[in-house]
Structures are given as structure tokens and as C-alpha cells.
Amino acid sequence: MMTVSRALRGAYGVNPKTRERVLRTAKEMGYIPNQVASNLAQNKTNTIGVIVPDIGLSFFPNVFHQLESEFSAQGYNLFICCSYDQPEKERKEVMALISRRVDGIVLAPASWKESYGAARLILDQDCPLVLIDRRIKGLDVDTVIVDDYGGAVSAVNHLIEQGFRRIVHLSGGQNIWTSRERLRGYRAALRDAKINIKEAWIILAGLTVESGEEAMTRLLEQNANFDAIFCVNDPVALGAYRALQRHGGKAPKPIALIGFAGIQETEMLETPLSTVQQDDARIGREAAQLLLNRIGPNANESKPVCLKIPTQLIIRASTTALIKS
Amino acid sequence: MMTVSRALRGAYGVNPKTRERVLRTAKEMGYIPNQVASNLAQNKTNTIGVIVPDIGLSFFPNVFHQLESEFSAQGYNLFICCSYDQPEKERKEVMALISRRVDGIVLAPASWKESYGAARLILDQDCPLVLIDRRIKGLDVDTVIVDDYGGAVSAVNHLIEQGFRRIVHLSGGQNIWTSRERLRGYRAALRDAKINIKEAWIILAGLTVESGEEAMTRLLEQNANFDAIFCVNDPVALGAYRALQRHGGKAPKPIALIGFAGIQETEMLETPLSTVQQDDARIGREAAQLLLNRIGPNANESKPVCLKIPTQLIIRASTTALIKS
DNA sequence: TTGTAAGCGTTATCAA
DNA sequence: TTGATAACGCTTACAA
């Protein structure tokens, strides 16, 4: 039995002839080893859990693609779970992954404050954890994020350089790290330019096309006298763009519009949208490396790392030629 | 030990007081059951494997979203694997899933002919299997597909009704079911309208934006005298659109363009693209139901089912106002 | 190089 | 209602 086990795994200490014979017989029998039993015996599952708010949303497919490549190459399979931004579902998925004894977890937390418990649960089991895209309040753990603050500053600075002063921000929920940081960047850029910050111009939209369209429509109906919009992300910018097209008559003048994240869709509009591009694939790659370094016998015991991936300002017509309506 | 096991699972035959005491103690200890051991003992993993060409591609995120919802609600976790259209990688992933003793597999096969072996492998292990989006030659198994043929016919008929006769088809690789069916529909529609089929106008592009752009650019350089284009899918149509914009001067006249699948991006172009819409969520939902019906003690033993989800023709400016260049 | 025994953490089965 | 025993199919540790 042990000889067969060794032969099939390609372990040392088996006579080449014996190994040959084992492999041949296994093939003849159509024998497929039971990984579940192996996992139990080894207390190692070669499995990684990935929890994201929504796999179909904006940049997560890109990140996941990269995670899949990296981990698959190392012989891992991935469990993927969606929290749909609900901390309770997130918690439930964390429990499931821990019960299944995954070797590590990649988490894009649902909430800045409410995801703490779920993350704590993971760490208390000594399960390696890497956070992506969003941080969690009070938690020091390996993390790969984007320079949301810096990106927002560069976006708003760009608007200011183009001569805009009346800049609205369509923001995302403040329970999400990225939304907070981008709002912080918006404020900082205005402050540094000595432009008065109007709280009424910081509008809670959300992170979806629909929420952007709604928020923009409301704003237009108020006949607000703004001349530029910085959106928390590209889907919201797309929604705002749609609203401008539909209710454009109400816009005070040509409007400048800039988003964040660099999704493909906004590039091909009649007026292509400016944006702050982030390197999705790199987030996935770095996260995978970080996690792999924490797994296994020669696991790295060093202090948690936080990688902040730089962004790139992409200037298109929506902030130069503007959106006429 | 058995009492604890029963209590934690919520099984019958435990004194309420005892159960109470067990649950309390487990909580105090921070005890988390080991699913790996449970899986081994029960020979059941509550795990489903999903294999798709690329999770980030076109409609797979939508399908996956639905799969996740359905299975998660039933207590299953999902392994997700990408074949990247390579039959060998697909085969490798199938082996991994079988070794891990998943309770069922949802497969979007990489190839019409070359995926047969992988699927056979699954069925030979008596592992429930549902195919989505694409069929496999010679394989009769539960399947959820779109009415690709009918959708293609309706798209081409629409072009014909608009008065176009010189219709080009940018097709996808013929090793993929959907590409084959859509090409078949193109031929049938032309034949029924007694329009001569020019083989030179059936152009192998691929399934990506890039491939569509390339193919269209090549065609424009040939000064071909066509007046409409039916694309195998929306990404290819988007690529063709781009090419028309860039090299438009070479287009013989305003061109009609229609795609397939109904991705969001093409709706917001300067000239919104017509398309054949498919119900992605429904594919996921039906596939999940089909698979769940084949799992467990009261598994359905009926003959394999093939669900063909109807499509819907969406007419936009690209086939009525046309694309001027 | 091969083989034996014990154990991984559950659950099925049968007895108390 | 509770408990003892033997799997589940593999791997680790050690002996031959």
C-alpha cells in the first residue's frame, strides 16, 4: 500500500521497475486517488478560498483571472464565494472555508468596519489571509490595495488644471475602504488648491451604473451650478454619463467627467471618459505571491505587508473636449 | 463523541438539554468541525466544480453569479477552474475535481470535439455533469444552451428585412459549438432568402474584441463590397465597430452591424449596436437545478435533458441608422 | 526498497 | 438517548 502511495505521488524510495508497474496497473484500473482522504491525512488541502463582494463586478473578474493562473500553476484549486456586500454572508462563507480547512484565504472585505469579525475568525485559526482592494479598520494583515487616495488626488488635480472649480463628487458608501480613500483624496486636492469644499456636492451614489445614473439625475433636477464631476468609480461615471445624455438639457454647461478603475466600457463612448487606471492583474499576482509566502513549511514569518499599487491618470475627451448636451 | 457529532449537525435523537450543553461548550471552545473528515466519512463533499473557458469573459460572470446563488443556498461551495480553451488544461482540471470528489460538475466545454474525453472521464466516475453554453460532439448529457441557431437566423433575417443583401459573417472558431451554430444560422437565413452565399465572406475572426478588430481591418483593406456584418458575438462586433471607426474611409458605404449575446458595452456606443440577447442568469439557474436533481439519494434517473433557452433580437441604431464613417 | 501499524476527524452501525 | 467500534482512504513513522 505504501509503495503504491509513494509511486503515485512520485515520492522517493521506490524501485523504478516497481513504480512503473504501479503506474501501469493504476492506469489499467482507472484508479483515481482520493484527495479528500489525502487531505485529511496530511492536514493540507491544496485549496485556497477567495471571497469577493461579487465575482461579476467591475475589476474582480480580472483579479480572479490572475489568482487562478498563479494558484493553479502551484497545484491549488480555488473555492470562490461572494459576499454581495453583506457582512453576514461573508461571515458564513468564512466559516465554510475554515471548516473545509483551506490553506489560505484571499478576501476583498465587504465592509470597512463590519468585516473585522470575519477576518479575526480567519486569523484566530492561524489561516493565512491576504486582503485585496479594501482594508479593514484596525486590522494589520497582508494587503494589496490600489493607491486610491493618490489616484483621487491626481484626478481632481487634473480637473483643477483644466480650469474647473465647481467639482462635484459622486461617492460610494463610506463603509467601503476605496470609497473612503477616494473621498479623502477629493477633499485633499480641493483643500490644497484652496477651493471651498461644498458638502452638498459630495453626493452618495454607490458603486453601480444605476446608482450613478440616479444620483446624477437628482443633481441635474436641482439645477446645481457645477462644471465637473469626479466619480468614485467608472460604473458610476457611466451612469452619470447616461443621465447627462438623457437629461442633458438641464446641465448648466458642458460638463467634465472622470471616473476611477479603468474598465473597458467607458473608453468607447461617444465621448470617451477619463479615468484613473489601476493594474487589476497585478493585484491578483501580488496577492497570490503574498499568500503563497505564508503557506507551507518554509512559511514567511515576517510582519504583515501592505502593498499599494500605483494608479495612472488616463486623460480622454470627457475632461478636455467635455460632454456637451 | 457520537452525541456531539449528532448535536452539532442538528441530527435527531439527542436530548434537548444535552444538545444545548454540547452547543454551548463547542462555542466556548471555539470548536469548528472538520469538513474534510466529514466528507471522507460520508463520501459526499457538498462541493460543485465549475469549469469555464475564462471566468472573466463575456457572459460567464453572469452565469457564475447565478450558479453561486443557487448552490450557496443549498449549502454547496464551488470550485472554479478555467480551461482557457485548452483541452489539456480542461482535462487536468477535470482530474483535479474528480480526485477531490466533487458532488457534481458544471462544464462549459473548451471544444466541440476535443472535450469529449474530459466529459467521458466525468461520466465514467458516475459524477453528475451538466454542460452549459456549448455542446460536445457525440455526448448526450444534461445541457443548457442558448438557441444559437435560431438567434443567428433572426439576426440575419433582420438584416435582410432592412434591405441588406451583401452580408458578411465574422465567425468564431469552428471547434466551438456556439460558433458552429451561429454560422449554420447565417447560412440558413441566406439560403431561405435565396441570397447567394459567398464563402469568402465567412471570415474566421475569433471571440474577442481584438480578433474582431483585426478581421474587420483586413476586410476593409480588401475593399470588399459588403453592406452588413453579422458577428458571432458582441465582443467581435465591438472590435469590428472600432475598426470601422478607425479605417472608416475605406468602407464602401454606411454599414449595418449586429452582434450576439447582449453585453452591456455595446449599448452605449455612439451608434448603439443591435444584438441577439440571451438570458445569462437563466442559464445558470437552469443548470443548477438540473445538477441538483441528479445529486443525492433521490437523484433523478431520467434521460438527459437539453434545455435550449430562447434569444431575443434587440434592434438598435447599428442596423437602422447604420454606422457612417 | 518494501511493508506494518497507527492515526487523521468524522460518521454508520449496532449495542446498551 | 447515549455510546462503543469500525470504517472512510490516505500518509507518517518506523521496522524489516
Side-chain angles (χ1 to χ4, degrees):
Chain A
M1 205 161 149
M2 274 315 295
T3 303
V4 170
S5 170
R6 283 190 273 252
L8 291 175
R9 278 179 294 156
Y12 290 119
V14 184
N15 184 312
K17 280 184 188 168
T18 315
R19 159 162 302 152
E20 181 60 31
R21 201 149 52 94
V22 169
L23 293 180
R24 185 160 27 84
T25 310
K27 191 161 193 179
E28 280 170 25
M29 295 171 56
Y31 174 79
I32 299 176
N34 184 328
Q35 279 298 334
V36 179
S38 171
N39 293 343
L40 180 61
Q42 291 185 100
N43 196 29
K44 162 92 160 102
T45 56
N46 291 300
T47 298
I48 302 291
V50 179
I51 307 178
V52 295
D54 190 338
I55 187 67
L57 232 57
S58 64
F59 77 108
F60 286 116
N62 297 337
V63 174
F64 182 79
H65 183 117
Q66 201 63 30
L67 288 175
E68 200 278 341
S69 293
E70 302 277 334
F71 283 114
S72 176
Q74 303 296 321
Y76 288 86
N77 279 103
L78 300 183
F79 274 126
I80 180 142
C81 315
C82 300
S83 67
Y84 303 118
D85 286 317
Q86 299 161 18
E88 322 83 62
K89 174 113 194 304
E90 183 173 68
R91 210 188 159 77
K92 194 195 117 197
E93 299 293 357
V94 164
M95 282 304 291
L97 293 178
I98 294 177
S99 298
R100 287 167 180 284
R101 299 297 190 263
V102 296
D103 296 333
I105 292 180
V106 175
L107 171 66
S111 161
W112 165 239
K113 288 175 183 166
E114 293 172 77
S115 289
Y116 184 86
R120 203 62 267 166
L121 218 51
I122 298 170
L123 296 173
D124 288 348
Q125 305 296 320
D126 288 316
C127 176
L129 170 65
V130 172
L131 256 36
I132 56 170
D133 191 50
R134 307 170 177 184
R135 308 191 72 166
I136 295 175
K137 187 176 181 184
L139 197 75
D140 185 28
V141 62
D142 282 348
T143 304
V144 184
I145 51 172
V146 155
D147 183 11
D148 294 292
Y149 172 82
V153 168
S154 73
V156 175
N157 277 346
H158 166 61
L159 292 174
I160 294 170
E161 280 162 20
Q162 294 290 314
F164 301 103
R165 289 290 177 278
R166 313 182 64 78
I167 304 172
V168 165
H169 178 44
L170 296 192
S171 87
Q174 293 302 298
N175 54 341
I176 294 172
W177 164 260
T178 45
S179 301
R180 300 173 71 91
E181 286 293 289
R182 292 172 196 177
L183 172 54
R184 199 163 66 82
Y186 165 83
R187 287 183 188 279
L190 290 186
R191 194 183 337 104
D192 289 354
K194 311 238 187 299
I195 297 175
N196 203 18
I197 296 175
K198 275 197 180 182
E199 292 301 327
W201 282 6
I202 297 172
I203 295 163
L204 177 64
L207 296 177
T208 63
V209 176
E210 291 70 29
S211 69
E213 182 161 4
E214 262 176 55
M216 193 65 214
T217 304
R218 265 184 287 133
L219 188 65
L220 286 171
E221 281 166 358
Q222 293 166 18
N223 297 310
N225 184 30
F226 59 94
D227 56 12
I229 313 161
F230 166 54
C231 295
V232 64
N233 69 7
D234 280 341
V236 168
L238 196 50
Y241 178 86
R242 264 201 207 172
L244 280 169
Q245 290 198 310
R246 295 206 181 148
H247 312 281
K250 292 179 182 165
K253 61 188 85 169
I255 298 290
L257 181 59
I258 186 167
F260 204 115
I263 64 174
Q264 269 200 341
E265 290 90 315
T266 57
E267 187 181 349
M268 266 173 292
L269 298 174
E270 182 170 353
T271 308
L273 304 192
S274 297
T275 190
V276 179
Q277 200 164 50
Q278 59 188 50
D279 189 342
D280 300 342
R282 181 151 170 222
I283 298 176
R285 201 166 55 233
E286 303 277 12
Q289 287 312 319
L290 240 39
L291 196 54
L292 286 167
N293 283 339
R294 300 285 186 187
I295 293 177
N298 38 20
N300 191 337
E301 292 292 338
S302 52
K303 284 191 1 184
V305 172
C306 177
L307 293 179
K308 192 183 287 184
I309 313 288
T311 59
Q312 194 189 350
L313 182 66
I314 307 286
I315 299 173
R316 301 204 186 99
S318 73
T319 52
T320 53
L322 307 191
I323 299 173
K324 289 139 202 153
S325 37
Chain B
M1 209 162 147
M2 274 313 295
T3 303
V4 170
S5 171
R6 283 191 271 252
L8 291 176
R9 279 179 292 157
Y12 290 121
V14 184
N15 185 312
K17 278 184 186 166
T18 315
R19 160 162 302 154
E20 181 60 31
R21 201 149 52 94
V22 169
L23 293 179
R24 185 158 28 82
T25 311
K27 192 160 193 180
E28 279 171 25
M29 296 171 56
Y31 174 80
I32 299 175
N34 185 327
Q35 279 298 336
V36 179
S38 172
N39 292 344
L40 180 61
Q42 292 185 101
N43 195 29
K44 161 92 161 103
T45 56
N46 291 300
T47 298
I48 302 292
V50 178
I51 308 178
V52 295
D54 190 339
I55 186 68
L57 231 57
S58 64
F59 77 107
F60 287 116
N62 297 337
V63 174
F64 182 80
H65 183 117
Q66 201 63 31
L67 288 175
E68 200 278 341
S69 293
E70 302 279 332
F71 283 114
S72 176
Q74 303 295 321
Y76 288 87
N77 279 104
L78 301 182
F79 273 125
I80 180 143
C81 316
C82 300
S83 67
Y84 303 118
D85 285 317
Q86 299 160 19
E88 322 83 62
K89 174 112 195 302
E90 183 174 67
R91 209 188 159 77
K92 195 194 117 197
E93 300 293 357
V94 165
M95 283 304 291
L97 293 178
I98 293 177
S99 297
R100 287 167 180 283
R101 299 297 189 263
V102 296
D103 296 333
I105 293 180
V106 175
L107 172 66
S111 161
W112 165 239
K113 288 176 183 166
E114 294 172 76
S115 289
Y116 185 86
R120 202 63 266 166
L121 218 51
I122 298 170
L123 296 173
D124 288 348
Q125 304 298 320
D126 287 316
C127 176
L129 169 66
V130 172
L131 256 36
I132 56 170
D133 192 49
R134 306 170 178 185
R135 306 191 75 164
I136 295 175
K137 187 176 181 185
L139 198 75
D140 184 28
V141 61
D142 282 347
T143 304
V144 184
I145 51 171
V146 156
D147 182 12
D148 294 292
Y149 173 82
V153 168
S154 73
V156 175
N157 276 347
H158 166 61
L159 291 174
I160 294 170
E161 281 162 21
Q162 294 290 314
F164 300 103
R165 289 290 177 278
R166 313 182 65 77
I167 305 172
V168 166
H169 178 42
L170 297 192
S171 88
Q174 291 302 299
N175 55 341
I176 293 171
W177 163 261
T178 46
S179 302
R180 300 173 72 90
E181 286 293 288
R182 292 172 197 177
L183 172 54
R184 199 162 67 81
Y186 165 83
R187 286 184 188 278
L190 290 187
R191 193 182 338 104
D192 289 354
K194 311 235 187 298
I195 296 175
N196 203 18
I197 297 174
K198 275 198 181 182
E199 293 301 326
W201 282 6
I202 298 172
I203 295 162
L204 177 64
L207 296 176
T208 63
V209 176
E210 291 70 29
S211 69
E213 183 162 2
E214 263 176 54
M216 193 66 215
T217 304
R218 264 186 287 134
L219 188 66
L220 286 172
E221 280 166 359
Q222 293 167 18
N223 297 310
N225 184 30
F226 59 94
D227 56 12
I229 312 161
F230 167 53
C231 296
V232 63
N233 68 8
D234 281 341
V236 168
L238 196 51
Y241 179 84
R242 264 201 208 171
L244 280 169
Q245 290 199 309
R246 295 206 182 147
H247 313 280
K250 292 181 183 166
K253 60 188 86 170
I255 297 290
L257 181 60
I258 185 166
F260 204 116
I263 64 175
Q264 270 200 341
E265 290 89 318
T266 57
E267 187 181 347
M268 266 173 293
L269 297 175
E270 182 171 353
T271 308
L273 304 192
S274 296
T275 190
V276 179
Q277 200 162 50
Q278 61 189 47
D279 189 343
D280 301 341
R282 183 153 168 220
I283 299 176
R285 203 167 54 234
E286 302 278 11
Q289 287 313 317
L290 241 39
L291 195 54
L292 286 168
N293 284 340
R294 300 285 185 187
I295 293 177
N298 37 22
N300 193 337
E301 292 292 338
S302 53
K303 283 194 358 188
V305 172
C306 178
L307 294 178
K308 191 183 286 183
I309 313 288
T311 59
Q312 194 190 351
L313 181 65
I314 307 286
I315 299 173
R316 301 205 185 98
S318 73
T319 53
T320 53
L322 307 192
I323 299 172
K324 288 139 203 154
S325 37

